[in-house]
Each structure stands twice: as structure tokens, then as C-alpha cells.
Amino acid sequence: MTTTALKLLALALMFCDHIYEFIGGAPIWLTWLGRLSASLFLFCMVWGVHYTHDRKHYLKGLYFWGVFMAVGDLLLAWLLPGAKTAPMNNIFVTFLLVGMVITIIEGFRGKGDRSEAKKLLWLLILAQVASIVLVPMAILGLPQIENAFVLPASVFPSLLFCEGGPIWILLGLMLYYTKENKRSLAISYLAFSLLVMAMGGFGTLQNLFYQNYQWLMALSLPFMLCYNGEKGRGLKRLFYVFYPAHVFTLCWLGSFVAFG
């Protein structure tokens, strides 16, 4: 499978997941399918970081879309108080942080520009300090807006408050450094999925399929292993545009429609 094919598959699975998130009464199997999406996108993203000819431009693009997404999330929460849930979706920031950390590590390991890595490290540190101060201020200052933290955590990309949290940054690093060895990729990814399952508590089938079902992300591994190293058609802007467009649309629809 090419990168484009993997992205299109992840796009469809993500759409299923967000129908469940934003539309009341949607069947839970939609979000089971959605568990495969984020890690597939992250897998494609780390290959994008590997292949891009201008990493600085690549990261700037993720930052722009991350801030755009955060502003949209905040506006929707304010304009649609009757929505099923306030949108807190911003995978752009998670991707940005993964790309920043990879670039910093490679710079200090001599595989990139060390001076640029130092600058990026300082920017990352300053962003963490700013977000730690501003996120609580936003939450306390706008208690009526459930997702008030999203904007400061995106303008100042936060390792703590990004979508998926620090553990997804670790997953991104793991995927980057195992991506060229399918055996290492399979072992580490399955171990990560098992860790996610353990963190949710193994418990009963009720727990595994109706409460803590993020471990289903393990089912995306066969698709990663089918990656053939080719880009495909690209469709570079499709994800950047579709991601905010479908989240905002589904959130709006969820304020007045529901299944059943």
C-alpha cells in the first residue's frame, strides 16, 4: 500500500470515529473502527518527516493548521452549546510535536542542523512553560466553554495537553525509529498496544469493548506492514482540509440530529 492509500483508509476510519463522537445514538462499532485511524495517520506522518525536502516548512504548515483547528474548535463550542460534545480534536498539534522532537533528536545526534535543533529545543521549552501557565488560566477564565484549553495548548504546542498526550508523542518516536524494520515495528507497536490495554485495565469484555477500547489500535498494524515505501498520488492537501471540515460539520450536525 502507498502512503496515499494508507491515508485514505485512515480518513475513512476517522470519519466513522467522529460520527460516533459527535452524533448522538451512533453505534459503538463506529468508534471501534476509528481506533485504527490516528496511528495510521501518525505512521504516514513520520514517513512524511523522513522524506520531506523542507522540514521547517513542513512543521510550519502543521503549526498553522493546528492553530486554525483550535480557533474553530473554540468557536464551535461557543456557538453550539447544544452540541453532543465540544470539539477538542487537534491531531495537527500532536503531529507537530512529534516532528519537532524528531528534528531536535536528529540535530543533536549529528543527523541534522545542530544550531536549528537548539533553536527548536528552546522554542519547545518556552511553549511548555507558556502552556502550563495559560491553559489553567483559560480553563478558569472560561468555565462555560468546555474546550477552552485547546487554543493556548495549540498556539503554544503542549506536550501535556495535545491530543493523545505524551504517550502519543512516544508512539510517534517509536514509529519513526522502527519504520524501516518491519519486525521491530511489529514487536514495538504490539507492545505499545498491550500497554494501552493494561493502562485501561484488562477487566471484562464489557471493559475491553465498551469502555477502554483504545487497544483496538493494534489492528492497524497489518496495514502498516503493507506499506511499500511509495508515495502514491499524494493528495497533499486533502487531509489538511478534510480534517477540520468534517469535524466542524459533524459537530454542527450533532447539535440538532441523532441516530434513532
Side-chain angles (χ1 to χ4, degrees):
M1 297 178 73
T2 64
T3 302
T4 300
L6 287 172
K7 284 182 179 179
L8 290 173
L9 173 62
L11 206 70
L13 294 168
M14 175 181 66
F15 187 68
C16 291
D17 187 39
H18 290 156
I19 290 174
Y20 178 80
E21 180 180 355
F22 293 111
I23 309 295
I28 196 169
W29 59 263
L30 287 170
T31 196
W32 293 344
L33 293 174
R35 297 309 90 199
L36 285 65
S37 175
S39 49
L40 281 176
F41 273 126
L42 192 53
F43 179 75
C44 294
M45 178 265 166
V46 298
W47 275 108
V49 168
H50 176 80
Y51 281 125
T52 183
H53 298 297
D54 189 343
R55 191 171 291 182
K56 184 182 290 187
H57 178 75
Y58 185 87
L59 295 178
K60 283 181 178 179
L62 287 170
Y63 180 76
F64 168 81
W65 284 101
V67 173
F68 174 81
M69 189 76 192
V71 171
D73 284 348
L74 197 64
L75 285 174
L76 278 175
W78 176 54
L79 294 171
L80 300 172
K84 178 190 173 186
T85 184
M88 302 180 192
N89 313 73
N90 203 340
I91 202 69
F92 291 127
V93 174
T94 305
F95 291 170
L96 169 65
L97 287 165
V98 170
M100 289 176 71
V101 174
I102 289 170
T103 303
I104 291 166
I105 292 173
E106 291 194 334
F108 282 98
R109 291 179 66 193
K111 295 184 177 182
D113 189 322
R114 190 179 181 87
S115 63
E116 287 298 318
K118 286 181 179 180
K119 292 177 186 177
L120 202 56
L121 177 59
W122 277 112
L123 282 175
L124 185 61
I125 292 171
L126 290 172
Q128 302 321 296
V129 173
S131 64
I132 288 171
V133 172
L134 294 174
V135 165
M137 290 176 63
I139 293 171
L140 294 172
L142 296 167
Q144 72 279 16
I145 300 181
E146 187 180 348
N147 65 352
F149 72 92
V150 171
L151 186 58
S154 301
V155 174
F156 301 98
S158 170
L159 292 164
L160 290 175
F161 300 103
C162 66
E163 185 172 349
I167 193 169
W168 278 84
I169 307 301
L170 292 174
L171 175 61
L173 293 174
M174 184 197 76
L175 290 173
Y176 184 80
Y177 288 106
T178 62
K179 65 186 185 300
E180 295 177 80
N181 185 318
K182 291 188 177 183
R183 185 170 182 271
S184 296
L185 172 64
I187 293 171
S188 58
Y189 187 71
L190 288 175
F192 183 90
S193 301
L194 187 62
L195 174 63
V196 169
M197 179 187 282
M199 289 171 64
F202 294 101
T204 63
L205 289 177
Q206 175 73 20
N207 176 62
L208 289 174
F209 286 95
Y210 291 90
Q211 293 172 310
N212 298 303
Y213 42 75
Q214 182 57 46
W215 62 271
L216 289 167
M217 62 186 286
L219 299 177
S220 64
L221 178 61
F223 299 105
M224 295 181 192
L225 296 177
C226 286
Y227 175 56
N228 60 12
E230 297 181 9
K231 183 179 180 180
R233 291 182 60 191
L235 303 177
K236 185 177 180 180
R237 296 297 176 189
L238 178 62
F239 172 67
Y240 289 104
V241 174
F242 183 82
Y243 182 68
H246 92 282
V247 167
F248 298 160
T249 302
L250 288 173
C251 182
W252 170 70
L253 287 172
S255 65
F256 60 89
V257 300
F259 282 84

PDB file of all heavy atoms in Angstrom, residues 54-79:
ATOM      1  N   ASP A  54      11.904  19.952   2.929  1.00  0.00           N
ATOM      2  CA  ASP A  54      11.964  21.192   3.716  1.00  0.00           C
ATOM      3  C   ASP A  54      11.197  20.966   5.015  1.00  0.00           C
ATOM      4  O   ASP A  54      10.008  21.253   5.110  1.00  0.00           O
ATOM      5  CB  ASP A  54      11.349  22.347   2.912  1.00  0.00           C
ATOM      6  CG  ASP A  54      11.565  23.701   3.581  1.00  0.00           C
ATOM      7  OD1 ASP A  54      11.897  23.737   4.782  1.00  0.00           O
ATOM      8  OD2 ASP A  54      11.368  24.727   2.900  1.00  0.00           O
ATOM      9  N   ARG A  55      11.907  20.439   6.013  1.00  0.00           N
ATOM     10  CA  ARG A  55      11.243  20.076   7.265  1.00  0.00           C
ATOM     11  C   ARG A  55      10.694  21.312   7.988  1.00  0.00           C
ATOM     12  O   ARG A  55       9.638  21.248   8.618  1.00  0.00           O
ATOM     13  CB  ARG A  55      12.189  19.306   8.181  1.00  0.00           C
ATOM     14  CG  ARG A  55      11.474  18.681   9.360  1.00  0.00           C
ATOM     15  CD  ARG A  55      12.362  17.749  10.139  1.00  0.00           C
ATOM     16  NE  ARG A  55      12.700  16.547   9.402  1.00  0.00           N
ATOM     17  CZ  ARG A  55      13.442  15.564   9.903  1.00  0.00           C
ATOM     18  NH1 ARG A  55      13.929  15.657  11.121  1.00  0.00           N
ATOM     19  NH2 ARG A  55      13.704  14.488   9.176  1.00  0.00           N
ATOM     20  N   LYS A  56      11.403  22.427   7.898  1.00  0.00           N
ATOM     21  CA  LYS A  56      10.933  23.653   8.560  1.00  0.00           C
ATOM     22  C   LYS A  56       9.579  24.079   7.995  1.00  0.00           C
ATOM     23  O   LYS A  56       8.655  24.417   8.743  1.00  0.00           O
ATOM     24  CB  LYS A  56      11.950  24.782   8.385  1.00  0.00           C
ATOM     25  CG  LYS A  56      11.574  26.059   9.139  1.00  0.00           C
ATOM     26  CD  LYS A  56      12.581  27.186   8.893  1.00  0.00           C
ATOM     27  CE  LYS A  56      13.892  26.895   9.554  1.00  0.00           C
ATOM     28  NZ  LYS A  56      14.825  28.060   9.473  1.00  0.00           N
ATOM     29  N   HIS A  57       9.439  24.035   6.678  1.00  0.00           N
ATOM     30  CA  HIS A  57       8.172  24.375   6.027  1.00  0.00           C
ATOM     31  C   HIS A  57       7.084  23.381   6.415  1.00  0.00           C
ATOM     32  O   HIS A  57       5.935  23.766   6.661  1.00  0.00           O
ATOM     33  CB  HIS A  57       8.367  24.376   4.503  1.00  0.00           C
ATOM     34  CG  HIS A  57       7.115  24.676   3.732  1.00  0.00           C
ATOM     35  ND1 HIS A  57       6.579  25.947   3.640  1.00  0.00           N
ATOM     36  CD2 HIS A  57       6.266  23.855   3.027  1.00  0.00           C
ATOM     37  CE1 HIS A  57       5.478  25.903   2.917  1.00  0.00           C
ATOM     38  NE2 HIS A  57       5.260  24.648   2.543  1.00  0.00           N
ATOM     39  N   TYR A  58       7.449  22.111   6.503  1.00  0.00           N
ATOM     40  CA  TYR A  58       6.511  21.045   6.890  1.00  0.00           C
ATOM     41  C   TYR A  58       5.963  21.317   8.291  1.00  0.00           C
ATOM     42  O   TYR A  58       4.753  21.236   8.531  1.00  0.00           O
ATOM     43  CB  TYR A  58       7.247  19.712   6.837  1.00  0.00           C
ATOM     44  CG  TYR A  58       6.408  18.488   7.081  1.00  0.00           C
ATOM     45  CD1 TYR A  58       5.738  17.861   6.040  1.00  0.00           C
ATOM     46  CD2 TYR A  58       6.309  17.920   8.353  1.00  0.00           C
ATOM     47  CE1 TYR A  58       4.975  16.713   6.248  1.00  0.00           C
ATOM     48  CE2 TYR A  58       5.555  16.782   8.576  1.00  0.00           C
ATOM     49  CZ  TYR A  58       4.892  16.184   7.522  1.00  0.00           C
ATOM     50  OH  TYR A  58       4.139  15.053   7.742  1.00  0.00           O
ATOM     51  N   LEU A  59       6.849  21.658   9.227  1.00  0.00           N
ATOM     52  CA  LEU A  59       6.430  21.914  10.612  1.00  0.00           C
ATOM     53  C   LEU A  59       5.631  23.207  10.715  1.00  0.00           C
ATOM     54  O   LEU A  59       4.660  23.285  11.486  1.00  0.00           O
ATOM     55  CB  LEU A  59       7.657  21.970  11.527  1.00  0.00           C
ATOM     56  CG  LEU A  59       8.440  20.660  11.667  1.00  0.00           C
ATOM     57  CD1 LEU A  59       9.670  20.866  12.562  1.00  0.00           C
ATOM     58  CD2 LEU A  59       7.565  19.550  12.220  1.00  0.00           C
ATOM     59  N   LYS A  60       5.994  24.209   9.944  1.00  0.00           N
ATOM     60  CA  LYS A  60       5.234  25.459   9.945  1.00  0.00           C
ATOM     61  C   LYS A  60       3.799  25.227   9.462  1.00  0.00           C
ATOM     62  O   LYS A  60       2.857  25.822   9.981  1.00  0.00           O
ATOM     63  CB  LYS A  60       5.922  26.510   9.056  1.00  0.00           C
ATOM     64  CG  LYS A  60       7.126  27.170   9.688  1.00  0.00           C
ATOM     65  CD  LYS A  60       7.732  28.213   8.748  1.00  0.00           C
ATOM     66  CE  LYS A  60       8.905  28.920   9.384  1.00  0.00           C
ATOM     67  NZ  LYS A  60       9.524  29.922   8.446  1.00  0.00           N
ATOM     68  N   GLY A  61       3.651  24.363   8.453  1.00  0.00           N
ATOM     69  CA  GLY A  61       2.318  24.038   7.951  1.00  0.00           C
ATOM     70  C   GLY A  61       1.474  23.366   9.014  1.00  0.00           C
ATOM     71  O   GLY A  61       0.295  23.689   9.199  1.00  0.00           O
ATOM     72  N   LEU A  62       2.060  22.426   9.758  1.00  0.00           N
ATOM     73  CA  LEU A  62       1.336  21.756  10.842  1.00  0.00           C
ATOM     74  C   LEU A  62       0.950  22.754  11.934  1.00  0.00           C
ATOM     75  O   LEU A  62      -0.145  22.680  12.502  1.00  0.00           O
ATOM     76  CB  LEU A  62       2.190  20.636  11.434  1.00  0.00           C
ATOM     77  CG  LEU A  62       2.351  19.383  10.570  1.00  0.00           C
ATOM     78  CD1 LEU A  62       3.400  18.454  11.161  1.00  0.00           C
ATOM     79  CD2 LEU A  62       1.010  18.644  10.428  1.00  0.00           C
ATOM     80  N   TYR A  63       1.849  23.704  12.220  1.00  0.00           N
ATOM     81  CA  TYR A  63       1.542  24.719  13.244  1.00  0.00           C
ATOM     82  C   TYR A  63       0.363  25.590  12.809  1.00  0.00           C
ATOM     83  O   TYR A  63      -0.560  25.837  13.582  1.00  0.00           O
ATOM     84  CB  TYR A  63       2.763  25.595  13.518  1.00  0.00           C
ATOM     85  CG  TYR A  63       2.495  26.659  14.558  1.00  0.00           C
ATOM     86  CD1 TYR A  63       2.435  26.329  15.910  1.00  0.00           C
ATOM     87  CD2 TYR A  63       2.276  27.983  14.194  1.00  0.00           C
ATOM     88  CE1 TYR A  63       2.170  27.295  16.874  1.00  0.00           C
ATOM     89  CE2 TYR A  63       2.009  28.957  15.140  1.00  0.00           C
ATOM     90  CZ  TYR A  63       1.954  28.603  16.473  1.00  0.00           C
ATOM     91  OH  TYR A  63       1.673  29.577  17.419  1.00  0.00           O
ATOM     92  N   PHE A  64       0.391  26.051  11.553  1.00  0.00           N
ATOM     93  CA  PHE A  64      -0.700  26.889  11.042  1.00  0.00           C
ATOM     94  C   PHE A  64      -2.047  26.171  11.155  1.00  0.00           C
ATOM     95  O   PHE A  64      -3.023  26.717  11.664  1.00  0.00           O
ATOM     96  CB  PHE A  64      -0.437  27.268   9.581  1.00  0.00           C
ATOM     97  CG  PHE A  64      -1.643  27.880   8.903  1.00  0.00           C
ATOM     98  CD1 PHE A  64      -1.952  29.217   9.092  1.00  0.00           C
ATOM     99  CD2 PHE A  64      -2.475  27.096   8.103  1.00  0.00           C
ATOM    100  CE1 PHE A  64      -3.079  29.770   8.489  1.00  0.00           C
ATOM    101  CE2 PHE A  64      -3.597  27.651   7.501  1.00  0.00           C
ATOM    102  CZ  PHE A  64      -3.901  28.993   7.693  1.00  0.00           C
ATOM    103  N   TRP A  65      -2.093  24.921  10.672  1.00  0.00           N
ATOM    104  CA  TRP A  65      -3.348  24.180  10.706  1.00  0.00           C
ATOM    105  C   TRP A  65      -3.761  23.839  12.135  1.00  0.00           C
ATOM    106  O   TRP A  65      -4.959  23.764  12.442  1.00  0.00           O
ATOM    107  CB  TRP A  65      -3.246  22.925   9.853  1.00  0.00           C
ATOM    108  CG  TRP A  65      -3.336  23.226   8.383  1.00  0.00           C
ATOM    109  CD1 TRP A  65      -2.312  23.305   7.498  1.00  0.00           C
ATOM    110  CD2 TRP A  65      -4.526  23.528   7.650  1.00  0.00           C
ATOM    111  NE1 TRP A  65      -2.780  23.631   6.246  1.00  0.00           N
ATOM    112  CE2 TRP A  65      -4.145  23.772   6.318  1.00  0.00           C
ATOM    113  CE3 TRP A  65      -5.879  23.611   7.988  1.00  0.00           C
ATOM    114  CZ2 TRP A  65      -5.061  24.086   5.318  1.00  0.00           C
ATOM    115  CZ3 TRP A  65      -6.799  23.925   6.990  1.00  0.00           C
ATOM    116  CH2 TRP A  65      -6.390  24.163   5.687  1.00  0.00           C
ATOM    117  N   GLY A  66      -2.782  23.653  13.018  1.00  0.00           N
ATOM    118  CA  GLY A  66      -3.099  23.395  14.416  1.00  0.00           C
ATOM    119  C   GLY A  66      -3.785  24.582  15.076  1.00  0.00           C
ATOM    120  O   GLY A  66      -4.772  24.427  15.805  1.00  0.00           O
ATOM    121  N   VAL A  67      -3.274  25.780  14.815  1.00  0.00           N
ATOM    122  CA  VAL A  67      -3.894  26.992  15.375  1.00  0.00           C
ATOM    123  C   VAL A  67      -5.267  27.213  14.746  1.00  0.00           C
ATOM    124  O   VAL A  67      -6.238  27.554  15.447  1.00  0.00           O
ATOM    125  CB  VAL A  67      -2.977  28.218  15.154  1.00  0.00           C
ATOM    126  CG1 VAL A  67      -3.690  29.500  15.566  1.00  0.00           C
ATOM    127  CG2 VAL A  67      -1.680  28.054  15.949  1.00  0.00           C
ATOM    128  N   PHE A  68      -5.363  27.016  13.438  1.00  0.00           N
ATOM    129  CA  PHE A  68      -6.651  27.150  12.748  1.00  0.00           C
ATOM    130  C   PHE A  68      -7.688  26.203  13.350  1.00  0.00           C
ATOM    131  O   PHE A  68      -8.834  26.587  13.616  1.00  0.00           O
ATOM    132  CB  PHE A  68      -6.468  26.862  11.256  1.00  0.00           C
ATOM    133  CG  PHE A  68      -7.747  26.835  10.467  1.00  0.00           C
ATOM    134  CD1 PHE A  68      -8.335  28.019  10.038  1.00  0.00           C
ATOM    135  CD2 PHE A  68      -8.379  25.639  10.158  1.00  0.00           C
ATOM    136  CE1 PHE A  68      -9.528  28.002   9.315  1.00  0.00           C
ATOM    137  CE2 PHE A  68      -9.557  25.609   9.444  1.00  0.00           C
ATOM    138  CZ  PHE A  68     -10.135  26.797   9.014  1.00  0.00           C
ATOM    139  N   MET A  69      -7.288  24.967  13.572  1.00  0.00           N
ATOM    140  CA  MET A  69      -8.197  23.963  14.136  1.00  0.00           C
ATOM    141  C   MET A  69      -8.635  24.361  15.534  1.00  0.00           C
ATOM    142  O   MET A  69      -9.816  24.222  15.906  1.00  0.00           O
ATOM    143  CB  MET A  69      -7.485  22.602  14.176  1.00  0.00           C
ATOM    144  CG  MET A  69      -8.391  21.443  14.532  1.00  0.00           C
ATOM    145  SD  MET A  69      -9.437  20.985  13.135  1.00  0.00           S
ATOM    146  CE  MET A  69     -10.606  19.892  13.948  1.00  0.00           C
ATOM    147  N   ALA A  70      -7.712  24.872  16.336  1.00  0.00           N
ATOM    148  CA  ALA A  70      -8.028  25.268  17.711  1.00  0.00           C
ATOM    149  C   ALA A  70      -9.031  26.416  17.748  1.00  0.00           C
ATOM    150  O   ALA A  70      -9.970  26.415  18.556  1.00  0.00           O
ATOM    151  CB  ALA A  70      -6.750  25.665  18.446  1.00  0.00           C
ATOM    152  N   VAL A  71      -8.840  27.383  16.873  1.00  0.00           N
ATOM    153  CA  VAL A  71      -9.780  28.515  16.803  1.00  0.00           C
ATOM    154  C   VAL A  71     -11.169  28.016  16.415  1.00  0.00           C
ATOM    155  O   VAL A  71     -12.185  28.415  17.012  1.00  0.00           O
ATOM    156  CB  VAL A  71      -9.285  29.577  15.797  1.00  0.00           C
ATOM    157  CG1 VAL A  71     -10.355  30.640  15.557  1.00  0.00           C
ATOM    158  CG2 VAL A  71      -8.005  30.232  16.303  1.00  0.00           C
ATOM    159  N   GLY A  72     -11.230  27.119  15.421  1.00  0.00           N
ATOM    160  CA  GLY A  72     -12.512  26.553  15.015  1.00  0.00           C
ATOM    161  C   GLY A  72     -13.178  25.761  16.125  1.00  0.00           C
ATOM    162  O   GLY A  72     -14.391  25.877  16.350  1.00  0.00           O
ATOM    163  N   ASP A  73     -12.401  24.944  16.844  1.00  0.00           N
ATOM    164  CA  ASP A  73     -12.944  24.175  17.970  1.00  0.00           C
ATOM    165  C   ASP A  73     -13.574  25.098  19.011  1.00  0.00           C
ATOM    166  O   ASP A  73     -14.677  24.848  19.518  1.00  0.00           O
ATOM    167  CB  ASP A  73     -11.831  23.354  18.639  1.00  0.00           C
ATOM    168  CG  ASP A  73     -11.434  22.114  17.855  1.00  0.00           C
ATOM    169  OD1 ASP A  73     -12.156  21.743  16.901  1.00  0.00           O
ATOM    170  OD2 ASP A  73     -10.405  21.503  18.198  1.00  0.00           O
ATOM    171  N   LEU A  74     -12.834  26.162  19.337  1.00  0.00           N
ATOM    172  CA  LEU A  74     -13.304  27.093  20.371  1.00  0.00           C
ATOM    173  C   LEU A  74     -14.573  27.818  19.923  1.00  0.00           C
ATOM    174  O   LEU A  74     -15.535  27.961  20.700  1.00  0.00           O
ATOM    175  CB  LEU A  74     -12.197  28.103  20.677  1.00  0.00           C
ATOM    176  CG  LEU A  74     -12.323  28.892  21.987  1.00  0.00           C
ATOM    177  CD1 LEU A  74     -12.247  27.947  23.180  1.00  0.00           C
ATOM    178  CD2 LEU A  74     -11.219  29.935  22.076  1.00  0.00           C
ATOM    179  N   LEU A  75     -14.596  28.262  18.678  1.00  0.00           N
ATOM    180  CA  LEU A  75     -15.774  28.971  18.157  1.00  0.00           C
ATOM    181  C   LEU A  75     -17.006  28.070  18.141  1.00  0.00           C
ATOM    182  O   LEU A  75     -18.107  28.501  18.493  1.00  0.00           O
ATOM    183  CB  LEU A  75     -15.483  29.501  16.750  1.00  0.00           C
ATOM    184  CG  LEU A  75     -14.585  30.733  16.666  1.00  0.00           C
ATOM    185  CD1 LEU A  75     -14.273  31.055  15.209  1.00  0.00           C
ATOM    186  CD2 LEU A  75     -15.245  31.936  17.343  1.00  0.00           C
ATOM    187  N   LEU A  76     -16.826  26.821  17.745  1.00  0.00           N
ATOM    188  CA  LEU A  76     -17.957  25.888  17.704  1.00  0.00           C
ATOM    189  C   LEU A  76     -18.507  25.622  19.099  1.00  0.00           C
ATOM    190  O   LEU A  76     -19.718  25.543  19.291  1.00  0.00           O
ATOM    191  CB  LEU A  76     -17.545  24.575  17.043  1.00  0.00           C
ATOM    192  CG  LEU A  76     -17.557  24.553  15.516  1.00  0.00           C
ATOM    193  CD1 LEU A  76     -17.013  23.236  15.005  1.00  0.00           C
ATOM    194  CD2 LEU A  76     -18.955  24.774  14.971  1.00  0.00           C
ATOM    195  N   ALA A  77     -17.625  25.468  20.075  1.00  0.00           N
ATOM    196  CA  ALA A  77     -18.081  25.233  21.446  1.00  0.00           C
ATOM    197  C   ALA A  77     -18.882  26.429  21.965  1.00  0.00           C
ATOM    198  O   ALA A  77     -19.855  26.263  22.710  1.00  0.00           O
ATOM    199  CB  ALA A  77     -16.885  24.972  22.356  1.00  0.00           C
ATOM    200  N   TRP A  78     -18.506  27.618  21.532  1.00  0.00           N
ATOM    201  CA  TRP A  78     -19.196  28.834  21.968  1.00  0.00           C
ATOM    202  C   TRP A  78     -20.520  29.016  21.220  1.00  0.00           C
ATOM    203  O   TRP A  78     -21.540  29.368  21.816  1.00  0.00           O
ATOM    204  CB  TRP A  78     -18.269  30.033  21.724  1.00  0.00           C
ATOM    205  CG  TRP A  78     -18.890  31.359  22.044  1.00  0.00           C
ATOM    206  CD1 TRP A  78     -19.485  31.742  23.220  1.00  0.00           C
ATOM    207  CD2 TRP A  78     -18.986  32.489  21.166  1.00  0.00           C
ATOM    208  NE1 TRP A  78     -19.934  33.035  23.130  1.00  0.00           N
ATOM    209  CE2 TRP A  78     -19.648  33.520  21.886  1.00  0.00           C
ATOM    210  CE3 TRP A  78     -18.582  32.742  19.859  1.00  0.00           C
ATOM    211  CZ2 TRP A  78     -19.897  34.772  21.321  1.00  0.00           C
ATOM    212  CZ3 TRP A  78     -18.830  33.991  19.309  1.00  0.00           C
ATOM    213  CH2 TRP A  78     -19.488  34.981  20.031  1.00  0.00           C
ATOM    214  N   LEU A  79     -20.519  28.722  19.914  1.00  0.00           N
ATOM    215  CA  LEU A  79     -21.702  28.945  19.089  1.00  0.00           C
ATOM    216  C   LEU A  79     -22.735  27.825  19.188  1.00  0.00           C
ATOM    217  O   LEU A  79     -23.920  28.049  18.932  1.00  0.00           O
ATOM    218  CB  LEU A  79     -21.293  29.105  17.618  1.00  0.00           C
ATOM    219  CG  LEU A  79     -20.455  30.343  17.277  1.00  0.00           C
ATOM    220  CD1 LEU A  79     -19.934  30.248  15.847  1.00  0.00           C
ATOM    221  CD2 LEU A  79     -21.272  31.615  17.473  1.00  0.00           C
TER     222      LEU A  79
END
